[in-house]
Amino acid sequence: MAHINDHYLKLKAGYLFPEIARRVREFSTANPAAKIIRLGIGDVTRPLPAACITAGKAAFDELGEGKSFRGYGPEQGYDFLREAIAEHDFKSRGVAIDASEIVVSDGSKCDTGNIQEIFGADCLIAVPDPVYPVYVDTNVMAGRTGQADVSGRYAGLVYLNSTAESGFLPAFPKRRVDLVYLCFPNNPTGCVASRAVLTSWVEWATRNGAIILFDAAYEAFISDPTIPHSIFEIPGARECAIEFRSYSKTAGFTGTRCAYTVVPKTLRGFDAVGSPVDILPLWLRRQTTKFNGVSYPIQRAAEACYSEAGKTQIKDLVQYYMGNAKIIRDGLAKMGIEIHGGVNAPYIWLKTPGNLSSWEFFDHLLTKANVVGTPGAGFGACGEGYFRLSAFGETDQVREAVERISKLGL
Ligand code: MLT
């Protein structure tokens, strides 16, 4: 008899987004005439940048010729992409990250989910609340938690409340923890961390010997020039942080998949007897064992994001989505709804009107306006009473959604 991993049985029924999709499917089966507008999952709707398409097609052509054919690539990514990343995402902002500290992957969801494997089962983990559910669920699967309580919080995890009072910035842990997940610009609240806030986190991690797992998947949406794009812009972060970046939202790669993780050579953990151990070789060991790399054409397409044409096209994409964010913000503000985010991030976090619970509001919007959003409670107990709208839709659909919501007379 094969004994399953019992920790999976602790997980709440479904991962948030498939659960939303299930409810929407059920509604549209019962109401086939309903024209549903989806502003739930943060999935992009605009085509890939032309520069990426050209580069990807050329790479496929290379694979069609005997003399330029390639099989397996390096598991950690081709040098051409790692070097372009080091140059354009870091050096250009005055941040010293070497290409050898960059590990290319097929997504930040995978990387933020897998990174916990290289740390001890006894590590104490802190997560903001609300939070991207992947950070929590993967630690549950790994057995670092007990059961969830009625609010969905797992025993053994340290939750850092992020509330309106704190501008949705997570509170610092009140007890010792080993690893803390941070995400800025934040999914789901759309809030950002100033240089001062990030500096306090780096100082806290340095003082406490903790490691920050910094998810920067939405950095391209920062418009305020004072907000850091990378934790490595903060002195001392090379000794206490890992950063995750993605082409998914920036360049429309949610379907094509490409991302990367930065593990500085100066980052160390400790073995059982307290001797320091470099983290980068552990992550490389994990990736080279379990992952065979992103396909060559997709890495060439990602590299094209850094060409002059690619940079312009990406800027246009970001502006398009942030134009949507403004439509949502302005529309909701006119309705008197309390809104957060949507300025340096593609998510708008709103207080549900009339004290509806997050899921009640979800049902109300779905059934009365045929608009899909994401219930804040799905991101954690502190998300209850909030709701997330994504700016990644098409503009005419976003306008229509706002108009429909305004007609509800909330
Ligand atoms: C979201 O909607 O939160 C994101 O699309 C999830 C993800 O990037 O996996």
Side-chain angles (χ1 to χ4, degrees):
M1 254 193 351
H3 182 195
I4 53 99
N5 176 351
D6 289 317
H7 302 301
Y8 275 63
L9 303 181
K10 297 175 193 163
L11 292 165
K12 282 173 282 159
Y15 179 61
L16 177 62
F17 295 105
E19 174 59 20
I20 290 171
R22 190 190 63 75
R23 290 182 185 219
V24 174
R25 230 175 9 254
E26 228 172 74
F27 176 78
S28 45
T29 309
N31 302 274
K35 290 197 169 34
I36 293 176
I37 300 178
R38 291 177 165 77
L39 303 179
I41 189 163
D43 194 5
V44 293
T45 50
R46 302 302 296 160
L48 289 169
C52 299
I53 294 294
T54 306
K57 279 182 178 167
F60 260 118
D61 285 343
E62 280 181 56
L63 299 183
E65 298 286 334
K67 61 179 183 335
S68 49
F69 174 77
R70 297 164 187 247
Y72 291 126
E75 292 94 338
Q76 63 273 39
Y78 283 102
D79 286 345
F80 63 77
L81 179 55
R82 300 165 85 201
E83 277 156 19
I85 292 167
E87 177 68 30
H88 295 275
D89 283 346
F90 295 100
K91 196 168 165 213
S92 69
R93 296 189 64 83
V95 180
I97 292 293
D98 191 74
S100 60
E101 298 173 307
I102 293 161
V103 185
V104 175
S105 76
D106 62 347
S108 285
K109 179 177 183 176
C110 322
D111 285 357
T112 55
N114 292 330
I115 195 76
Q116 47 78 26
E117 284 185 23
I118 62 171
F119 294 100
D122 56 349
C123 276
L124 254 177
I125 313 285
V127 290
D129 181 356
V131 68
Y132 180 43
V134 170
Y135 314 154
V136 172
D137 287 3
T138 51
N139 277 291
V140 175
M141 291 168 175
R144 287 198 188 86
T145 75
Q147 299 291 341
D149 65 16
V150 281
S151 74
R153 285 188 163 189
Y154 289 93
L157 282 188
V158 174
Y159 288 88
L160 312 175
N161 290 354
S162 315
T163 60
E165 291 70 46
S166 67
F168 295 102
L169 292 171
F172 283 92
K174 291 196 178 68
R175 56 180 297 188
R176 182 195 66 78
V177 299
D178 302 299
L179 297 169
V180 60
Y181 293 80
L182 294 179
C183 174
F184 291 113
N186 188 256
N187 179 13
T189 65
C191 80
V192 281
S194 65
R195 187 170 298 275
V197 167
L198 289 183
T199 301
S200 331
W201 274 105
V202 168
E203 286 170 357
W204 167 86
T206 308
R207 252 192 337 270
N208 291 279
I211 290 179
I212 298 171
L213 303 171
F214 191 76
D215 186 348
Y218 298 93
E219 59 76 34
F221 296 87
I222 295 173
S223 55
D224 179 341
T226 67
I227 305 288
H229 287 234
S230 167
I231 188 101
F232 299 120
E233 290 179 45
I234 310 299
R238 284 186 55 89
E239 283 71 40
C240 68
I242 292 175
E243 181 164 300
F244 306 92
R245 292 275 192 109
S246 170
Y247 298 94
S248 283
K249 316 294 157 98
T250 311
F253 277 51
T254 54
T256 35
R257 315 300 306 151
C258 195
Y260 65 87
T261 288
V262 181
V263 186
K265 286 181 182 150
T266 39
L267 180 68
R268 300 207 164 78
F270 294 91
D271 68 13
V273 293
S275 306
V277 178
D278 291 348
I279 299 286
L280 177 59
L282 301 183
W283 182 239
L284 283 171
R285 185 68 171 84
R286 192 263 169 217
Q287 290 299 83
T288 51
T289 302
K290 296 194 177 184
F291 182 59
N292 255 339
V294 176
S295 77
Y296 175 66
I298 296 303
Q299 291 195 57
R300 280 293 185 199
E303 181 194 25
C305 293
Y306 303 108
S307 64
E308 281 317 304
K311 281 184 191 167
T312 307
Q313 290 157 9
I314 284 171
K315 209 185 263 170
D316 290 347
L317 270 182
V318 167
Q319 265 171 15
Y320 179 92
Y321 293 128
M322 292 314 290
N324 290 345
K326 181 162 169 31
I327 293 169
I328 299 172
R329 276 184 62 89
D330 291 351
L332 295 178
K334 239 190 238 162
M335 296 171 222
I337 293 175
E338 181 186 319
I339 43 171
H340 306 271
V343 176
N344 291 290
Y347 294 123
I348 293 90
W349 187 242
L350 60 106
K351 181 97 194 73
T352 56
N355 280 328
L356 291 179
S357 76
S358 299
W359 280 104
E360 281 167 348
F361 190 64
F362 172 88
D363 286 336
H364 191 65
L365 276 201
L366 176 62
T367 55
K368 300 289 187 284
N370 303 157
V371 172
V372 180
T374 310
F379 297 103
C382 290
E384 182 53 275
Y386 286 89
F387 197 77
R388 193 192 77 176
L389 288 174
S390 150
F392 287 117
E394 294 193 47
T395 302
D396 53 347
Q397 293 265 295
V398 167
R399 272 192 221 288
E400 163 89 22
V402 170
E403 207 175 299
R404 287 191 203 168
I405 297 172
S406 72
K407 284 190 184 139
L408 295 179
L410 296 166

